[in-house]
Amino acid sequence: METVMTTVLVTGASGNVGREVVRACVAAGFDVRATGAGGVRFDFTDRSTWAAALEGIDFVFLLRPPPLGDMSTTLNPFVDAAFAAGVKHLVFLSV
């Protein structure tokens, strides 16, 4: 029987919260794709980075960076893109 790996995209993975989310996901057996330093290139304000970050992703942990205040031009379109890319579940944490 083939084992299917669940892949989680963790935004803000290099911060205090994101680092712990990555640790917990790895401990639970998930494949983790982290954004930020040393991870996949991703920028909420640069839509050209979204497709590669979302490719093959099942779940997203979405941490809103403090500088992003306009949801209609950043986070809302990203959430739409995530579900269009096949993401099954998204967890959102705001500051």
Side-chain angles (χ1 to χ4, degrees):
M1 176 176 242
E2 182 181 337
T3 301
V4 177
M5 180 65 80
T6 298
T7 305
V8 180
L9 175 68
V10 178
T11 67
S14 61
N16 293 333
V17 172
R19 184 174 31 250
E20 290 302 312
V21 171
V22 168
R23 185 190 60 73
C25 286
V26 169
F30 295 113
D31 180 33
V32 175
R33 184 176 304 160
T35 68
V40 65
R41 182 174 175 270
F42 175 78
D43 183 341
F44 284 108
T45 63
D46 182 357
R47 293 182 187 204
S48 71
T49 66
W50 298 359
L54 290 168
E55 186 176 341
I57 295 297
D58 300 297
F59 302 151
V60 173
F61 177 79
L62 176 59
L63 178 64
R64 182 183 74 83
L68 292 184
D70 183 359
M71 302 300 164
S72 65
T73 61
T74 54
L75 296 184
N76 291 350
F78 175 72
V79 169
D80 292 340
F83 287 121
V87 168
K88 297 172 190 72
H89 188 82
L90 187 142
V91 173
F92 175 68
L93 178 64
S94 182
V95 292

